[in-house]
Amino acid sequence: MTEHRELFAAAMADPATPLDLPCLLMGNEVTPGLDVRGFTERLDALADVVAAGLPGAAGPAAIGRHLRSTLGGDVGFAGSAADYDDVRSSLLHEVLGRRRGLPILLSVVWLEVARRIEVPAHGVGLPGHFVVGIGDPEDVRGDGLVLVDPFAGGVPVPPSTVYGAIGHEPTARDLRPWDTRRTMLRILANIRNWAGRSDRVRTRLWALELSLLIPGCPEVLRREHGEALARTGDYGAAATQLEAFAELVEAEQPLVAKSARQDARTARARLN
């Protein structure tokens, strides 16, 4: 295992790890030798800019307006439809440089700035979107929680948008904070999906391999990993992964296990 993957695994083993470290370590997959400290210092500098004008004793709405005027306005972090077709939109170091990205990566910027200036903020994963909650995640119907959309420059998220995304009045469970592990799995899923659409099997492979280093990752990723290895021609490793997946799901999903074992036999046959 490479050094940056060892560091990534160590970071993901600690549930208290903030998002910036694993996101930047992931960048080594496309930019070997990435200056992680340098990009961490960029986040520090952004936090200094935001902190300079932060209103004292302000509520979530006022804090949200200030973050919007700085990060979304003066600094210019936002996204557009075109960003979904660019893998750079899922890489924090690229997002910090380009100020463009997917909703979840732009939310990471907001969350890491907020953490540095001790603003209570958390990520909220909605179906098909990702936003930032500022304030108390339990205060769903009061004025102690404001949802903002970094992809749209930080505008408040109307209740109707949340209702439309989840199909009912939001509860504290719907808007609960996403931890680092869950957020990283979604970031990596976005990369896997992008790679699948553009037939970038090597990109899909490293996204899978990083996902498998995250405690609690879905077992089905082991099967995906085996399939991706087979597509690269590494049939022996593919068969091993598929057989390991079959062992994991045998008791509860015997038909799935049987199918995975058949795929493993097919992969091994290609070694001859």
Side-chain angles (χ1 to χ4, degrees):
M1 187 184 298
T2 61
E3 181 182 7
H4 77 266
R5 288 195 181 185
E6 290 178 353
L7 293 171
F8 181 90
M12 298 313 303
D14 182 357
T17 295
L19 280 163
D20 56 349
L21 179 57
C23 282
L24 290 170
L25 288 170
M26 182 181 74
N28 279 278
E29 298 289 342
V30 295
T31 308
L34 182 72
D35 182 9
V36 171
R37 168 171 274 187
F39 283 99
T40 300
E41 290 172 351
R42 287 200 191 188
L43 285 166
D44 295 341
L46 281 174
D48 289 341
V49 170
V50 174
L54 188 68
I63 292 173
R65 286 193 296 271
H66 176 66
L67 288 169
R68 179 167 71 253
S69 69
T70 50
L71 292 178
D74 296 341
V75 180
F77 282 99
S80 68
D83 294 307
Y84 284 90
D85 295 324
D86 193 332
V87 73
R88 294 177 298 174
S89 301
S90 291
L91 301 169
L92 181 56
H93 68 286
E94 292 281 4
V95 172
L96 288 171
R98 299 171 63 240
R99 303 183 185 184
R100 313 294 303 176
L102 295 188
I104 194 167
L105 264 295
L106 291 166
S107 294
V108 168
V109 174
W110 276 59
L111 292 169
E112 284 302 306
V113 167
R115 181 175 67 85
R116 284 163 167 77
I117 60 177
E118 299 183 348
V119 163
H122 57 277
V124 178
L126 300 173
H129 203 40
F130 202 94
V131 298
V132 168
I134 299 173
D136 181 0
E138 298 295 325
D139 191 7
V140 175
R141 293 182 175 82
D143 57 5
L145 174 66
V146 172
L147 296 181
V148 295
D149 184 357
F151 189 70
V155 299
V157 180
S160 59
T161 298
V162 179
Y163 186 97
I166 62 178
H168 57 79
E169 286 293 331
T171 66
R173 178 175 174 79
D174 296 315
L175 305 182
R176 68 190 183 280
W178 278 42
D179 63 17
T180 296
R181 291 174 179 173
R182 191 179 184 193
T183 304
M184 288 306 303
L185 282 171
R186 184 153 169 175
I187 289 170
L188 288 162
N190 287 339
I191 293 172
R192 293 189 348 259
N193 291 337
W194 174 87
R197 293 195 306 271
S198 55
D199 198 26
R200 307 289 180 88
V201 66
R202 294 289 178 183
T203 299
R204 183 165 174 250
L205 187 60
W206 67 250
L208 281 162
E209 289 171 348
L210 289 185
S211 299
L212 291 170
L213 296 176
I214 301 176
C217 72
E219 292 174 347
V220 70
L221 294 185
R222 298 189 183 280
R223 181 169 193 171
E224 286 188 36
H225 185 214
E227 293 168 347
L229 285 167
R231 289 196 61 197
T232 67
D234 194 348
Y235 299 115
T240 298
Q241 282 294 314
L242 291 164
E243 288 161 354
F245 168 74
E247 288 289 332
L248 285 172
V249 302
E250 180 81 62
E252 295 184 1
Q253 302 178 71
L255 293 179
V256 172
K258 181 179 179 180
S259 174
R261 286 200 173 91
Q262 177 58 54
D263 290 343
R265 286 192 292 273
T266 301
R268 289 200 187 281
R270 300 194 69 175
L271 289 169
N272 297 331

